[in-house]
Amino acid sequence: MQPILFMEKQELKEVRHMVHACGPISASFKSLKQVGERRPIVREGYYNTSDFLTPKEVLSGLDLSAELEKRIEEKRPTGGQKGVEHALLNEYKRGDYLTCNLQLKPEPSAQAKLLGDLRESQADMEWWADAMEARINDIYQSTLLLIGKADQGTGFHVDWTEAKNIAFACSQADLHKVLAVWIFLHPSTAMKALTWLRINGYPNGIETIGKVHLSEQEIQALDEHLGVDEHGRQYLVRLEQRHGQLVEVPPGWIHQVTNLEECIKMAWDVYELAHVPDYVASWHHISSQVTCSNSEDYMSCRLLIHSALSHSCRASHVGDLSDAEPS
């Protein structure tokens, strides 16, 4: 599927008008400096540091029917579910960076079940009460596994809403090592960073999501270029992620991830209605103008906007959008 922009300019104008008409979230179209007040953090997300995971054991517990359908559409040999599992492992051994949804078999392997249980334990603290109103009820819909070796990772991109990511070592020897390094760019520096990229060997900027992955030397140069804020904090933020640690990615922060060791990450997007203004600002200023493309609307953000505006209209007695369908 081709990447799509979340909103056309006219749609953004309509949303801006509706948001300003709806009272409590009318303060809403925030500046990117305000969006960036919530900074990325890393914290403990899983406490049993003796449990490392292996790609083979995890993949053996997943329902790979979606991957199977994809390969059938692409007219690639499959060999059924088991054949897809073997194909993925072979591709991984050849150096591919694997990504797949966390869909468990009815009787998953122990390691796959551990991931499923951990994901479900997080859901109680997240967005699902609001999401039900937006007609989303599958926590695995936006949960992704990323399985990669050292030096692999994800290039610069910005998430639809906000994201969480927890990492697992793939061997006993790596349980206490840094598994991945994250580089974040403050939302307010997005255009400045884009200009720097175009001057320094990336003429297309970040138009192709995930294709720009800077070296350590380039990161240091960009860090110096962006400088610090009025509080002396770097606009470029670096975080190290170890086994069992969870990285929280606020909206609007363009970021890249580089593995230092082989690891398995579980990543998922979340939203909260209180943070809708941050998402709108990010879509308007960054997704539409800096990254210039984005993935399919797998977070059903149009429904999220509709839900948020309905809440706001009811609260401010402006009206009710409950019978209207989002365009």
Side-chain angles (χ1 to χ4, degrees):
M1 183 174 294
Q2 292 295 316
I4 58 172
L5 286 175
F6 171 68
M7 290 182 181
E8 300 295 336
K9 288 184 178 179
Q10 183 58 38
E11 291 178 292
L12 281 165
K13 288 180 181 177
E14 292 172 4
V15 168
R16 183 193 289 268
H17 175 75
M18 294 171 70
V19 165
H20 278 289
C22 288
I25 58 173
S26 67
S28 59
F29 252 70
K30 291 186 173 182
S31 70
L32 291 180
K33 181 179 179 180
Q34 291 173 309
V35 173
E37 289 174 359
R38 294 177 55 212
R39 297 174 72 84
I41 62 170
V42 60
R43 63 176 176 83
E44 297 302 321
Y46 178 67
Y47 296 96
N48 190 344
T49 55
S50 65
D51 288 334
F52 64 89
L53 305 182
T54 65
K56 182 177 181 180
E57 177 73 9
V58 168
L59 286 173
S60 70
L62 299 182
D63 178 352
L64 298 172
S65 55
E67 181 69 22
L68 177 61
E69 291 178 9
K70 173 185 171 184
R71 288 171 181 250
I72 290 174
E73 286 181 7
E74 295 172 351
K75 297 182 179 179
R76 298 162 65 187
T78 59
Q81 160 97 13
K82 203 66 181 175
V84 170
E85 183 183 323
H86 288 312
L88 287 172
L89 283 173
N90 287 334
E91 290 163 9
Y92 178 68
K93 291 175 182 176
R94 291 199 301 268
D96 287 359
Y97 190 52
L98 298 187
T99 60
C100 58
N101 283 94
L102 181 68
Q103 289 287 355
L104 304 183
K105 290 179 177 178
E107 296 183 4
S109 63
Q111 291 187 4
K113 185 177 185 303
L114 182 151
L115 292 173
D117 290 346
L118 178 59
R119 180 67 191 92
E120 290 183 4
S121 73
Q122 296 285 320
D124 292 339
M125 301 178 283
E126 294 173 0
W127 53 302
W128 297 97
D130 294 334
M132 294 298 184
E133 185 167 346
R135 302 169 216 173
I136 307 168
N137 53 24
D138 180 3
I139 64 171
Y140 300 112
Q141 177 178 331
S142 62
T143 303
L144 194 67
L145 293 183
L146 303 102
I147 306 174
K149 299 181 183 294
D151 296 325
Q152 293 182 320
T154 308
F156 273 127
H157 65 285
V158 65
D159 296 313
W160 269 109
T161 52
E162 49 195 292
K164 298 185 178 182
N165 181 299
I166 186 168
F168 293 88
C170 291
S171 71
Q172 189 79 28
D174 292 339
L175 286 175
H176 302 292
K177 294 181 180 179
V178 175
L179 299 179
V181 173
W182 293 63
I183 302 298
F184 296 89
L185 306 181
H186 191 284
S188 68
T189 67
M191 289 304 297
K192 187 175 182 180
L194 177 63
T195 301
W196 184 92
L197 287 169
R198 286 175 171 165
I199 293 172
N200 289 275
Y202 300 93
N204 294 325
I206 317 175
E207 290 184 7
T208 306
I209 294 294
K211 296 299 184 183
V212 175
H213 201 123
L214 300 187
S215 67
E216 182 60 33
Q217 183 177 4
E218 290 172 321
I219 290 168
Q220 291 177 7
L222 179 57
D223 188 13
E224 292 177 6
H225 177 71
L226 297 180
V228 299
D229 65 15
E230 64 271 25
H231 304 292
R233 299 175 299 185
Q234 299 295 126
Y235 280 121
L236 185 149
V237 175
R238 177 193 298 263
L239 293 181
E240 295 180 345
Q241 184 181 29
R242 291 175 166 80
H243 173 77
Q245 290 187 327
L246 184 143
V247 173
E248 295 188 353
V249 183
W253 287 77
I254 298 173
H255 54 283
Q256 74 169 39
V257 189
T258 305
N259 290 347
L260 301 187
E261 307 291 343
E262 181 182 20
C263 60
I264 296 174
K265 301 190 195 75
M266 181 169 67
W268 63 99
D269 287 11
V270 301
Y271 65 61
E272 298 178 26
L273 291 181
H275 295 157
V276 169
D278 294 347
Y279 310 151
V280 173
S282 176
W283 300 331
H284 181 58
H285 295 293
I286 297 179
S287 296
S288 297
Q289 299 181 38
V290 179
T291 59
C292 297
S293 61
N294 216 321
S295 58
E296 178 189 4
D297 183 12
Y298 57 85
M299 291 295 288
S300 297
C301 290
R302 292 175 188 272
L303 290 170
L304 166 61
I305 286 284
H306 182 260
S307 178
L309 293 176
S310 292
H311 274 290
S312 185
C313 287
R314 288 195 294 269
S316 57
H317 308 292
V318 172
D320 194 345
L321 302 179
S322 58
D323 296 327
E325 286 295 321
S327 59

